[in-house]
Amino acid sequence: MQHRWTQLSRVAAILSIALACAPHARAGEESPLPPLTPPMTGASAPNDAAVVIGVDDYDSLVQVPFVERDAALFHSFLLDTVGVPPGHIANLHNKIPAIREKILAAVSEKAAQVGPGGRLWIYFVGHGHPWPQDGRNLALLLGKDATVETLRARSVDKDELLDAATLRPAHNAAGLGYRRA
């Protein structure tokens, strides 16, 4: 059975500006941030799927603080607030390195799990970089193994994510939220 993809009118992502601007803990110290817990709503979204990508331990770029915590918080938000089934969420972070191939494969795999009326959630926290191409700037999401010399080759841009998920939105969005019709 063929399903048609349409774009949601709302963006399905949470921006974590507060975490990026928060004071940083020194090695061995506890985080200065208060504990965060998403609300438990009892909602159920059995046709949704998600890919949560968190890169803090880059091989040769500056580390990003609080990524593990931010990715875990968004994962909890998907489970406890949205109601996405645990088996429908792929987590790419320190234990499963978020490299280009794994990111695209996870998006493709989870897109296939989205059922009728469901939503594919793609959440990335880590380094991004603009990349000029064909008269426009691509927004690159840098993979764990990206270096200054390999930024484009080891990163993923939004269009590649959408291709991996077989989605094509009508306009750019800071977060990606799509619904299968």
Side-chain angles (χ1 to χ4, degrees):
M1 180 171 155
Q2 295 264 348
H3 293 284
R4 196 185 73 189
W5 291 91
T6 59
Q7 185 171 1
L8 292 175
S9 60
R10 298 181 294 178
V11 173
I14 293 177
L15 300 177
S16 58
I17 296 170
L19 289 176
C21 297
H24 305 286
R26 294 188 182 114
E29 291 182 359
E30 282 193 40
S31 168
L33 299 173
L36 301 172
T37 306
M40 296 187 77
T41 63
S44 178
N47 291 332
D48 283 12
V51 180
V52 178
I53 307 159
V55 189
D56 62 349
D57 189 20
Y58 284 91
D59 292 345
S60 58
L61 299 175
V62 175
Q63 306 311 307
V64 181
F66 305 117
V67 166
E68 189 78 24
R69 178 182 174 166
D70 196 30
L73 178 63
F74 195 77
H75 179 100
S76 293
F77 166 77
L78 291 168
L79 288 172
D80 300 333
T81 305
V82 178
V84 179
H88 285 210
I89 303 173
N91 290 292
L92 300 177
H93 45 84
N94 294 336
K95 292 179 183 91
I96 301 173
I99 60 173
R100 176 183 168 77
E101 295 79 10
K102 289 185 186 277
I103 293 170
L104 293 173
V107 168
S108 181
E109 175 189 335
K110 293 305 168 186
Q113 289 184 332
V114 175
R119 183 178 301 152
L120 174 63
W121 298 75
I122 300 172
Y123 181 77
F124 177 87
V125 59
H127 284 304
H129 193 277
W131 189 265
Q133 182 173 312
D134 300 328
R136 62 190 184 113
N137 275 330
L138 300 177
L140 297 183
L141 307 178
L142 277 55
K144 176 182 174 26
D145 58 346
T147 66
V148 172
E149 295 80 22
T150 64
L151 277 182
R152 182 64 188 108
R154 302 307 307 153
S155 300
V156 179
D157 72 58
K158 186 186 72 169
D159 290 341
E160 291 171 314
L161 286 176
L162 299 176
D163 288 342
T166 65
L167 301 171
R168 273 291 163 196
H171 67 282
N172 294 335
L176 305 175
Y178 300 88
R179 184 176 296 264
R180 184 174 263 187

